[in-house]
Amino acid sequence: MSNDVAILGVGMHPWGKWGRNFIEYGIEAAQNALADAGLEWSDIDYVAGADTIRNGYPGFIAGATFSQALGWKGNRVSSCYAACASGAQALSIARAQILAGLSDVALVVGADTTPKGFFAPVGGDRPDDPDWLRFRLMGATNPAYFGLYARRRMEVYGATEDDFAAVRVKNGRHGLENPYARYRKAFTREEVLESAMVADPLRLLEICATSDGGAAVVLSSMDYARKHTTDPARITAISTVTPTYPEPVIEMPNFATDSASVVPAPARPFRDSIAHAAYEEAGIGPEDLDLAEVYDLSAALELDWYENIGLCAPGDAEKLLRDGDTTIGGKIPVNPSGGLSCFGEAIPAQAIAQVCELTWHVRGTAGERQVEGARVGITINQGLFGHGSSVIVQR
Amino acid sequence: MGSVGYRRAVTAKARKPAVEGWFTDDEANPALLGSRCTSCGTYSFPREKTLCKNPSCMGRTFDEVELSRRGTIWSFTNACYQPPPPYVPVSDPFEPFCIAAVELADEHMVVMGQMVDGVTVEDLHAGMEVEIVLDTLFEDEENEYVVWRWKPVAAQGGPK
């Protein structure tokens, strides 16, 4: 029995930094997705909102907030938060409703408006919360963890600062062609390496910014889609898996890993397992991919993701990049959208935006960014505290 | 390698841990305090107090154990900008510091922490041996707050 649902429409609000109410960005993304689907708001019977936790109460119940903004009409609703995986979580919820026969056509929407600079923990004194304590006791920001992973690639695999800069340069060229990207500039290697060091070895231009943005998708059952359109893009898998104990890689916002003293570390690391679950569900493997959208929180992390999604063996990601394989026009373009490098992160919208990008490519409507003949793509991402996030889009 | 060291109390303020129960009080014999499940023996840091995190174990009792005082660097980085609150600034202007993730061999786990003052990323490499020390994290009017830090073990042999 297939878990496929149809993607009838996708829509985004550009990423940027305007400080407007997140609801505005969500409305625009939702209306763009509805228009793309050729549907009206009245056709939607389910809304799955992805929450923002930095915008007060309306953000915690985003599904209802967006439903009210578009106009109360009694549709069913859900609101969810799963950190960077919120968008995938919302897609998963909507898909389950459709597959269970409880919804025909669902709107999935996430939007955010974000603070300047480092993500700080939610306000107040919370000495029992590791996400509070890691700032207090270690001064460990999000980039600190990314810096640890980047340095590890250098120490173990011989990755260089040139490799990390090359990721940013590649994504910059891709983002030039994306009207929704916040940063549309073809940075040079020199400009990247001259940007200020933030968390050695990562520099400012190698760490994603925080952005405003909104993205939305209209999903439907395959039955509904058949009455409405022909050959739609489909979601064929969504992975939301958690790690398997013991997790041996230090994870934000923790102080320590699990111990592998009694139970050995699993053969497949967590990030790999996120992709593996998606491949298994869709019945494909990495060799079937035409493109991938990966969560480049840092330029170095993009290289980790190449290995995690099985594009190459551990340690070979730099070669894939240097050979041009992951550039548009290469064997397996990664982040044709420009990635977080060019967008910055709008937490609840980002995983949805990844799906929007894949959809344009498999439809053949990605314009200057088009990956030739794209039919199969994967998104991959990871939320804090172990929320897997991967979606496979096919046509 | 630049001079390394850790600040000593120079005032009459009380020294209190910046977080209770995570490390021993004894500055001559510092150690992180972890827990060991009495059912399956798995380690945890910070201490587990409720239910063993091993999914095959339903253990609810834990022994407090001192973790290995030495480990090897898994990876390292630094903070070039002042972190946001609740990080408490200790100088103006901000002075960068290093952070390390350190592998403890017996416990098969990696524990993070700041490096002591005076250490830069040029001084560090993966596999390097470090040891735990206690150090002042910040002061207020009444107290000095103590935290663990990692310090390179001296006499590691020739230049890297």
Side-chain angles (χ1 to χ4, degrees):
Chain A
M1 196 185 89
S2 143
N3 288 341
D4 290 4
V5 289
I7 299 172
L8 294 187
V10 296
M12 289 173 65
H13 180 289
W15 262 228
K17 196 81 148 191
W18 305 281
R20 299 204 302 267
N21 192 310
F22 74 97
I23 303 170
E24 287 186 40
Y25 309 139
I27 290 173
E28 180 164 322
Q31 290 181 320
N32 287 344
L34 287 167
D36 186 50
L39 291 175
E40 303 292 329
W41 167 230
S42 55
D43 295 314
I44 299 295
D45 61 37
Y46 194 89
V47 171
D51 292 344
T52 163
I53 61 168
R54 294 188 164 88
N55 287 285
Y57 215 86
F60 303 147
I61 40 120
T65 295
F66 292 126
S67 296
Q68 181 175 34
L70 291 163
W72 286 138
K73 59 179 181 61
N75 55 270
R76 295 175 189 218
V77 68
S78 65
S79 303
C80 72
Y81 185 72
C84 313
S86 298
Q89 198 78 46
L91 286 164
S92 179
I93 290 170
R95 180 178 75 142
Q97 296 285 319
I98 291 169
L99 294 175
L102 299 170
S103 159
D104 286 326
V105 195
L107 172 69
V108 181
V109 54
D112 210 353
T113 200
T114 47
K116 203 170 166 152
F118 291 117
F119 274 128
V122 179
D125 263 28
R126 290 191 322 286
D128 290 328
D129 178 357
D131 193 44
W132 188 93
L133 282 167
R134 55 126 160 171
F135 288 92
R136 172 56 63 92
L137 299 179
M138 299 191 292
T141 58
N142 293 7
Y145 289 86
F146 309 153
L148 290 175
Y149 303 146
R151 175 60 61 180
R152 183 78 181 164
R153 287 202 74 83
M154 297 174 112
E155 297 282 308
V156 175
Y157 300 134
T160 67
E161 59 169 16
D162 281 339
D163 293 316
F164 303 154
V167 171
R168 184 61 186 87
V169 169
K170 165 184 79 72
N171 288 344
R173 285 204 300 270
H174 292 175
L176 269 185
E177 311 298 345
N178 195 335
Y180 295 105
R182 177 175 172 191
Y183 303 110
R184 297 181 67 186
K185 187 181 148 145
F187 287 104
T188 64
R189 171 189 165 277
E190 289 68 33
E191 283 169 317
V192 177
L193 292 179
E194 279 160 17
S195 66
M197 192 69 83
V198 173
D200 192 286
L202 294 174
R203 297 174 177 277
L204 193 63
L205 286 177
E206 294 168 333
I207 298 172
C208 76
T210 62
S211 295
D212 302 1
V217 172
V218 175
L219 297 181
S220 80
S221 63
M222 295 308 299
D223 276 351
Y224 184 96
R226 274 184 270 277
K227 297 174 202 152
H228 190 73
T229 186
T230 48
D231 199 20
R234 290 169 288 125
I235 289 181
T236 58
I238 302 180
S239 165
T240 59
V241 298
T242 50
T244 294
Y245 186 88
E247 170 57 29
V249 176
I250 187 77
E251 293 279 354
M252 189 161 65
N254 298 329
F255 288 83
T257 62
D258 295 332
S259 161
S261 60
V262 167
V263 182
R268 189 174 289 121
F270 174 46
R271 290 202 285 252
D272 294 45
S273 75
I274 301 172
H276 178 80
Y279 289 135
E280 273 215 319
E281 187 181 350
I284 65 166
E287 65 281 358
D288 299 308
L289 294 177
D290 298 309
L291 74 160
E293 284 281 316
V294 311
Y295 222 68
D296 54 322
L297 290 164
S298 81
L301 199 65
E302 173 166 323
L303 297 165
D304 284 339
W305 285 122
Y306 293 179
E307 295 163 4
N308 300 138
I309 67 173
L311 300 186
C312 62
D316 287 349
E318 284 75 13
K319 178 169 192 311
L320 221 61
L321 174 75
R322 290 180 204 144
D323 287 350
D325 291 350
T326 57
T327 305
I328 294 174
K331 287 182 199 155
I332 173 60
V334 176
N335 286 339
S337 64
L340 271 62
S341 299
C342 295
F343 277 74
E345 194 190 14
I347 293 175
Q350 211 68 43
I352 301 172
Q354 290 181 313
V355 170
C356 292
E357 181 70 7
L358 293 190
T359 301
W360 286 316
H361 285 274
V362 302
R363 286 177 180 171
T365 61
E368 294 300 313
R369 305 190 305 285
Q370 183 67 49
V371 171
E372 285 305 312
R375 305 292 283 189
V376 182
I378 192 169
T379 76
I380 189 115
N381 176 9
Q382 175 196 355
L384 282 185
F385 295 105
H387 262 280
S389 168
S390 175
V391 180
I392 292 179
V393 174
Q394 296 182 242
R395 191 168 151 266
Chain B
M1 189 188 273
S3 72
V4 300
Y6 42 97
R7 284 166 279 182
R8 298 205 169 277
V10 293
T11 69
K13 290 180 190 170
R15 277 169 79 73
K16 304 181 85 164
V19 61
E20 286 288 344
W22 286 36
F23 43 86
T24 59
D25 225 337
D26 181 358
E27 300 201 24
N29 295 295
L32 293 172
L33 290 173
S35 62
R36 206 162 181 201
C37 174
T38 58
S39 306
C40 74
T42 209
Y43 293 94
S44 204
F45 179 77
R47 284 175 303 159
E48 179 54 58
K49 292 177 183 158
T50 310
L51 175 66
C52 184
K53 293 253 180 5
N54 175 353
S56 311
C57 179
M58 295 289 113
R60 286 183 172 272
T61 57
F62 309 92
D63 291 329
E64 184 180 276
V65 296
E66 291 186 6
L67 301 184
S68 298
R69 299 183 50 226
R70 289 191 170 187
T72 54
I73 288 184
W74 181 84
S75 191
F76 57 93
T77 185
N78 65 9
C80 298
Y81 290 91
Q82 183 171 295
Y87 173 81
V88 179
V90 293
S91 64
D92 188 8
F94 171 76
E95 309 227 351
F97 55 85
C98 286
I99 294 171
V102 177
E103 240 171 324
L104 304 183
D106 287 347
E107 295 85 349
H108 294 266
M109 63 197 295
V110 171
V111 181
M112 282 173 72
Q114 289 182 353
M115 296 297 301
V116 294
D117 285 350
V119 173
T120 67
V121 291
E122 284 73 27
D123 302 325
L124 303 176
H125 58 271
M128 185 174 163
E129 205 178 8
V130 295
E131 63 183 353
I132 199 121
V133 297
L134 297 183
D135 205 351
T136 303
L137 181 62
F138 69 94
E139 312 184 18
D140 60 22
E141 267 150 29
E142 293 163 17
N143 301 305
E144 286 188 13
Y145 296 94
V146 175
V147 76
W148 79 93
R149 288 204 168 110
W150 297 108
K151 176 170 174 271
V153 170
Q156 304 238 26
K160 60 173 164 142

